[in-house]
Amino acid sequence: MKKDDQKNFVIFAVLAALILFGWPQIAHWFFPQQQPAPVRIEGGKTKPVANPGADPTADSPKALRDRQLVIAETPRVAIETPKLRGSINLKGARFDDLVLVQYAETVAKNSPPIRLLSPSGAKGNYFAEFGWQGAGVQAPGPDTIWQASGTKLTPTTPVTLSAQSATGQVFRIELSVDANYMFNVRQTVANLGTSPVSVTPYALVSRAEKSTDVDQWAAHVGPIAVAQGGANYVNYKDVDAGPQGFSTTGGWVGYTDHYWLTAVVPDQRMPVQLQQRQTPTKSYQADYQLASPLSVAPGKKITYSSHFFAGAKEVKLLEDYQDKLGIAKFDRAIDWGWFGIIEQPIFYYLDWLFRMVGNFGVAIILLTITIRGLLFPIAQRQFASMAKMRAVQPKMKALQERHKDDKTRQQQEIMKLYKEEKVNPLAGCLPILLQIPIMFALYKVLLLTIEMRHQPFVAWIRDLSAPDPLLVLNLFGLLNFTPPSFLAIGVVPILLGISMFFQFKLNPAPMDDMQKQIFSIMPWMLMFLMAPFAVGLQVYWITSNVLTMAQQWLLYQQHPALKEPVKKEAKAK
Amino acid sequence: MREVGAVIARLLILIARFWQLVPSRILPPSCRYAPSCSAYAIEALRRYGALKGSWLALRRILRCHPWGGHGYDPVP
């Protein structure tokens, strides 16, 4: 080893060690595992509203009780659609009880469905409310008991809630729901009094606890607000520091989990003020309020129409709502990031494959084959030139030896050698750099799509979106202990390491000793690094490695002369 | 302003250095030029600063593809 190389090797070794042992920390930051829900202590009384005139804030419960008890306490209108079950609380006209019947909490057969909304007073309370701030009028509040026109809200039977104020105004909320996750909320004020009143419609989503999903570097979880044509992925930390307000015409505000979303969507043509904040009782609230009040003359009425989304972030559905209801950037509920333009086509293709073959793992394999197929011409050129380089390597080494003290001269000589031997120059840096966004997009698609959630592959893999559960260190679950996170290696990651090892083996022999060492450690290091990822991603990597090997094999078939040195070397080892 | 530029240049050099030390070592050799794109970028950033340096580096990367040139191509 030359002196320069020795220095490089030390730097590399330090970096490698840092990555290997620092990985649990890094992984925790970039790809966090689910954490147990934080325990919240509910004390104190109903919190005072800071500025009741201009500031709708949901109340908070006195103590947490059983959800079923809380639900049974107040009159309700049932919600029943193909995808939703739950009820609307007639006390305060709140959406505070909703489950997503098509999504189960875990892969277990008897797992309960995902519960999205929960009433105030129960654990994990999470609800939405639509109302008015009034001037010269007593608007209905959280304790108002509304009258309902029906007992069940379904896609075919809308329900109208009504309430009357002491000052002579009639308030109506017409609710309808589609077959998916979108409610339409039409709020009407009819002024039967003798003097004009002014009302400001508002809506809020109140959430006592943060999501149990953890905010990730590549997939936002938490408050979200779309304003002025851009999505703001707000962190809880920022909200803790102070309210985040946005003035906009067209937009929406709410909370996103990894796979679920609640959002209140104001009338897209009228200016509103959006806010993400923490209430004095330490729960979180996303709300909007019309920028200027609507005035209602005596004998007149005024209607304000808005929407409420509560459900799963199914890509197609979000885009439909964006197009058909004209909701600004509704597809940004999914944190596509910079490469959305590549990710969306990859997603649609993957989804199509999945519907064709019915197994998500097989769909991932087919997707990988397609992408590698498209990149094949580049790879072919690269491999062809690499194979030729391999043939002239002895000469190259001699040149390097001869001019080892003069790097510029050495490079010039190598270039001359290329010309003499008619070696094709390599494919270049650009093709490799161009592949990075494609690979990253693929990674994000697999990370973000709800379609992969709880999808089985083969044998023991029942959820492609989770790490391999079959750990080697506790003898595949026979021993009753959980290995530390950086030793939690499943069977799939080991297959990944093996496939990578053989793939590296097929690469041209490295030019110097240091590289040789790196190539021999690398597959096993990557095995550790990639173990915490979703099995779906590992299936992709393994497929990709196998395809690389197939590509090599094909190339050696095409250039039989090149086969010889490989065989000789293999024997020498 | 000048200092901000220097800090950005240093940062970009660090990125190029990291590229050389980790990903580039794993990937098959690929650069058509000498010096390689990353070495070129580092030298350009050192000599011309963040703005012009990145511009030169970007142009170099953009011509480093199968239909581009090759051979000895030092920073001007």
Side-chain angles (χ1 to χ4, degrees):
Chain A
M1 258 193 253
K2 281 170 285 175
K3 213 175 177 190
D4 223 22
D5 279 349
Q6 261 168 0
K7 190 178 128 207
N8 279 352
F9 183 72
V10 169
I11 296 172
F12 175 82
V14 169
L15 278 175
L18 267 180
I19 289 173
L20 186 57
F21 295 105
W23 185 249
Q25 277 71 43
I26 298 166
H28 190 75
W29 189 52
F30 281 117
F31 326 100
Q33 302 292 305
Q34 293 220 335
Q35 303 259 312
V39 180
R40 218 167 69 92
I41 295 154
E42 273 293 334
K45 297 175 213 140
T46 306
K47 105 187 174 13
V49 175
N51 178 2
D55 208 23
T57 323
D59 59 350
S60 84
K62 290 184 175 105
L64 296 182
R65 288 174 302 137
D66 181 72
R67 184 182 300 120
Q68 291 314 318
L69 285 178
V70 176
I71 288 175
E73 245 168 21
T74 54
R76 283 172 179 273
V77 171
I79 299 170
E80 206 176 301
T81 83
K83 294 184 172 180
L84 299 170
R85 288 282 182 288
S87 58
I88 293 157
N89 193 347
L90 288 177
K91 186 183 173 188
R94 278 181 180 169
F95 293 88
D96 64 358
D97 166 28
L98 200 68
V99 297
L100 312 179
V101 286
Q102 290 189 327
Y103 292 99
E105 235 157 57
T106 67
V107 286
K109 276 210 180 77
N110 56 357
S111 159
I114 286 283
R115 171 166 286 276
L116 199 60
L117 303 182
S118 199
S120 172
K123 191 182 175 306
N125 67 70
Y126 188 7
F127 57 85
E129 181 184 304
F130 290 77
W132 295 265
Q133 300 284 322
V137 57
Q138 203 182 351
D143 293 324
T144 306
I145 306 285
W146 293 73
Q147 301 299 315
S149 68
T151 55
K152 200 184 266 182
L153 176 65
T154 71
T156 51
T157 56
V159 170
T160 301
L161 313 182
S162 48
Q164 202 154 357
S165 75
T167 42
Q169 286 76 31
V170 174
F171 294 87
R172 270 202 306 275
I173 303 178
E174 294 163 65
L175 298 171
S176 57
V177 64
D178 64 6
N180 298 302
Y181 307 113
M182 190 64 90
F183 295 86
N184 179 225
V185 181
R186 288 167 57 83
Q187 297 168 262
T188 302
V189 182
N191 189 358
L192 306 181
T194 50
S195 51
V197 296
S198 74
V199 287
T200 311
Y202 75 80
L204 61 85
V205 181
S206 169
R207 182 166 203 178
E209 288 165 11
K210 293 175 190 175
S211 169
T212 48
D213 303 336
V214 175
D215 192 19
Q216 297 189 29
W217 163 72
H220 175 71
V221 166
I224 180 168
V226 168
Q228 316 272 17
N232 300 281
Y233 300 105
V234 184
N235 294 320
Y236 282 110
K237 235 191 330 190
D238 301 333
V239 178
D240 290 345
Q244 308 278 313
F246 308 90
S247 298
T248 183
T249 302
W252 49 275
V253 66
Y255 292 101
T256 176
D257 291 358
H258 196 116
Y259 296 123
W260 329 116
L261 171 75
T262 53
V264 286
V265 186
D267 187 318
Q268 297 292 292
R269 293 158 303 182
M270 294 164 94
V272 288
Q273 176 71 23
L274 310 179
Q275 264 203 107
Q276 283 286 1
R277 54 175 147 172
Q278 196 179 32
T279 67
T281 49
K282 302 286 173 209
S283 50
Y284 291 94
Q285 179 171 311
D287 58 63
Y288 73 75
Q289 187 172 357
L290 218 59
S292 47
L294 306 168
S295 67
V296 196
K300 300 277 186 206
K301 62 178 183 179
I302 200 155
T303 299
Y304 181 79
S305 173
S306 55
H307 289 92
F308 173 51
F309 179 96
K313 296 194 283 181
E314 292 165 12
V315 179
K316 188 93 189 59
L317 203 57
L318 297 178
E319 279 177 10
D320 267 8
Y321 286 137
Q322 176 169 325
D323 296 341
K324 289 183 185 142
L325 301 178
I327 303 172
K329 302 263 175 199
F330 205 56
D331 65 341
R332 290 287 134 173
I334 295 176
D335 179 10
W336 291 110
W338 288 8
F339 300 113
I341 227 162
I342 316 172
E343 285 155 29
Q344 274 153 326
I346 292 181
F347 166 77
Y348 278 113
Y349 178 58
L350 179 64
D351 191 45
W352 177 81
L353 284 173
F354 175 44
R355 276 181 282 123
M356 289 292 134
V357 299
N359 181 310
F360 208 89
V362 176
I364 291 174
I365 292 175
L366 292 175
L367 173 71
T368 317
I369 292 175
T370 316
I371 288 184
R372 293 302 303 252
L374 291 176
L375 296 174
F376 181 69
I378 297 173
Q380 196 187 24
R381 249 196 108 95
Q382 193 123 350
F383 278 99
S385 50
M386 255 167 53
K388 280 189 188 147
M389 290 279 267
R390 196 185 162 92
V392 296
Q393 213 179 325
K395 283 188 184 174
M396 191 102 104
K397 231 176 183 162
L399 266 181
Q400 275 175 335
E401 278 300 305
R402 203 178 319 147
H403 303 287
K404 63 181 169 191
D405 299 323
D406 184 355
K407 282 232 156 170
T408 323
R409 180 78 197 279
Q410 181 187 327
Q411 278 156 351
Q412 280 168 326
E413 289 291 323
I414 288 170
M415 289 301 154
K416 224 169 91 192
L417 178 76
Y418 285 176
K419 266 190 194 138
E420 281 165 9
E421 297 284 329
K422 293 206 173 64
V423 177
N424 269 341
L426 296 163
C429 307
L430 189 61
I432 286 198
L433 290 175
L434 278 183
Q435 286 178 48
I436 292 173
I438 296 175
M439 295 307 155
F440 182 68
L442 197 63
Y443 160 68
K444 271 202 86 160
V445 166
L446 294 180
L447 181 75
L448 291 171
T449 57
I450 189 168
E451 283 73 8
M452 186 161 92
R453 183 179 185 266
H454 291 186
Q455 279 299 326
F457 181 33
V458 288
W460 71 92
I461 298 164
R462 294 167 69 193
D463 182 2
L464 280 163
S465 70
D468 189 348
L470 202 60
L471 301 181
V472 174
L473 229 76
N474 60 9
L475 288 182
F476 313 113
L478 288 176
L479 301 178
N480 183 24
F481 94 106
T482 312
S485 65
F486 90 106
L487 287 176
I489 307 292
V491 173
V492 177
I494 290 177
L495 292 177
L496 180 65
I498 293 172
S499 68
M500 205 141 10
F501 174 77
F502 281 109
Q503 190 219 310
F504 280 176
K505 266 260 144 77
L506 277 174
N507 273 349
M511 310 239 175
D512 59 45
D513 288 345
M514 172 186 55
Q515 269 175 317
K516 240 177 229 162
Q517 284 176 20
I518 290 165
F519 276 119
S520 58
I521 311 169
M522 217 54 187
W524 312 115
M525 227 175 87
L526 288 173
M527 177 181 85
F528 279 98
L529 297 194
M530 289 172 181
F533 284 77
V535 172
L537 284 165
Q538 292 168 5
V539 167
Y540 151 69
W541 276 311
I542 294 172
T543 314
S544 192
N545 289 343
V546 171
L547 288 176
T548 307
M549 285 188 271
Q551 214 165 240
Q552 301 263 57
W553 178 81
L554 201 76
L555 201 89
Y556 285 131
Q557 293 294 98
Q558 285 173 358
H559 307 267
L562 281 172
K563 253 179 170 172
E564 291 311 306
V566 182
K567 273 188 184 160
K568 258 182 222 157
E569 242 169 66
K571 260 181 209 160
K573 276 172 194 166
Chain B
M1 204 48 224
R2 212 182 197 168
E3 273 172 25
V4 174
V7 171
I8 293 172
R10 276 198 73 89
L11 209 73
L12 291 171
I13 289 171
L14 263 174
I15 292 172
R17 211 53 210 123
F18 178 79
W19 168 266
Q20 288 181 331
L21 284 176
V22 185
S24 180
R25 295 234 181 261
I26 311 161
L27 295 165
S30 60
C31 198
R32 304 159 61 86
Y33 290 102
S36 69
C37 290
S38 49
Y40 184 95
I42 290 170
E43 198 188 330
L45 286 165
R46 267 199 195 124
R47 278 176 42 198
Y48 294 97
L51 208 64
K52 199 180 174 198
S54 340
W55 172 239
L56 285 169
L58 185 72
R59 278 186 46 194
R60 168 62 174 283
I61 289 168
L62 286 179
R63 60 178 184 263
C64 190
H65 57 77
W67 298 271
H70 63 93
Y72 184 62
D73 173 37
V75 181

